[in-house]
Structures are given as C-alpha cells and as structure tokens.
Amino acid sequence: VRGLGVTLVHHGGDPAAMGLTAPEGVVVAGPYALEELDRVFATFDLLAVPSVWPENYPMVVPEAFARGRAVTASAVGGIPEMVRDGVDGLLLPPGDVAAWAAAWERLATDPGLRARLAAGVEPPRWADEHAAEMESLYREAIAWRRGGR
C-alpha cells in the first residue's frame, strides 16, 4: 500500500482474465498448488479475505490460522463465525474500500496490533474433529433418549 511500506500480493486467478486491472503496487502472484500452502503462507504476515459474496466457510481462513497468521476479512457469510474481531483478525465491511484502507493503515503503523492479533490465533478445528464431536453429541442424545441419561 503506497506510503505504508506494505506489499499486497494477490494469489488466485489472474485479474486480467476477469477483465480487471490490478491496482498499482499489487503483485499478482497467481494460483498455487495445495502442496505449496506452507511456502505461500510463509511469504506473508497477514491474510486478507475481502469477500463480497457470503461464503459459508472459506478454507483459506483456517489454513491461515493453522500457520499462525491473523486475518483481515469481510464481515459477510460464515466468516464472522471464524474470525474473532480484534482477537485473531479484523472484520471489515465488504466492499468498503475506505474501511479496508484504514484497517491496513492501522496494521502497517501499529506493530503491537499485528502482534496481538497473531498471538490471538488458535489452531483451527478440522472437519474430522467436527465430525467426531458431532458423533459424540448424537451418541449422547440417543443414550439420553433411550433413558440412559
């Protein structure tokens, strides 16, 4: 971001292929393979997820948390259930360029904030852990229903 000493790197589809032009100062790094996750995440300090679409569970958020990275993300869809605002990331209004710019300026100029957010990151619970928890809850409910309270 101009004047802040911050580099924004865009991973994923090529903006030009979508009829968009990457803004000045944004590095377009393109897509990456699953095997490259550790390498890619090691290249940045903070993940930005500026979704405007109400995504249910964007996997990039737990992937960032698994690697100790805080997240700035749109407060839309399931994202607010994943990112704890002010604890392990910042939740921002989707599409509000001024709010996003202000947040990044805060993050760029306040290393204490970046450190606090990174310290608040907890390892994610993966699908197999969720499934085991749900199975346990169902077994308890069935036992209760059968009178095994």
Side-chain angles (χ1 to χ4, degrees), residues 4 15 18 32 54 56 64 84 96 120 123 129-130 132 140 145 149:
L4 296 177
M18 296 178 272
Y32 53 88
N56 291 334
R84 298 171 297 161
D96 187 338
E129 294 170 292
H130 285 284
E140 287 176 30
R145 177 85 174 174
R149 300 168 176 68

Side-chain angles (χ1 to χ4, degrees), residues 15 27 36 53 67 79 97 106-107 124 131 134 140:
V27 175
E36 298 177 281
W53 180 259
R67 291 159 180 85
I79 295 173
V97 175
R106 276 182 55 212
L107 289 160
M134 292 304 295
E140 287 176 30

Side-chain angles (χ1 to χ4, degrees), residues 7-135:
T7 301
L8 296 177
V9 179
H10 173 272
H11 283 279
D14 181 1
M18 296 178 272
L20 302 171
T21 302
E24 180 184 337
V26 173
V27 175
V28 178
Y32 53 88
L34 188 59
E35 306 81 50
E36 298 177 281
L37 278 175
D38 288 332
R39 179 192 61 76
V40 169
F41 277 80
T43 64
F44 60 81
D45 299 316
L46 182 77
L47 176 70
V49 185
S51 298
V52 292
W53 180 259
E55 299 182 61
N56 291 334
Y57 193 86
M59 287 301 298
V60 70
V61 174
E63 291 291 356
F65 288 161
R67 291 159 180 85
R69 300 300 187 270
V71 175
T72 55
S74 295
V76 65
I79 295 173
E81 296 175 25
M82 304 168 75
V83 176
R84 298 171 297 161
D85 190 39
V87 176
D88 53 19
L90 298 177
L91 291 171
L92 303 162
D96 187 338
V97 175
W100 279 81
W104 285 341
E105 184 171 354
R106 276 182 55 212
L107 289 160
T109 59
D110 183 354
L113 175 59
R114 291 193 313 268
R116 285 190 304 278
L117 294 175
V121 171
E122 296 177 357
R125 290 180 29 207
W126 298 107
D128 57 343
E129 294 170 292
H130 285 284
E133 181 180 351
M134 292 304 295
E135 181 180 0

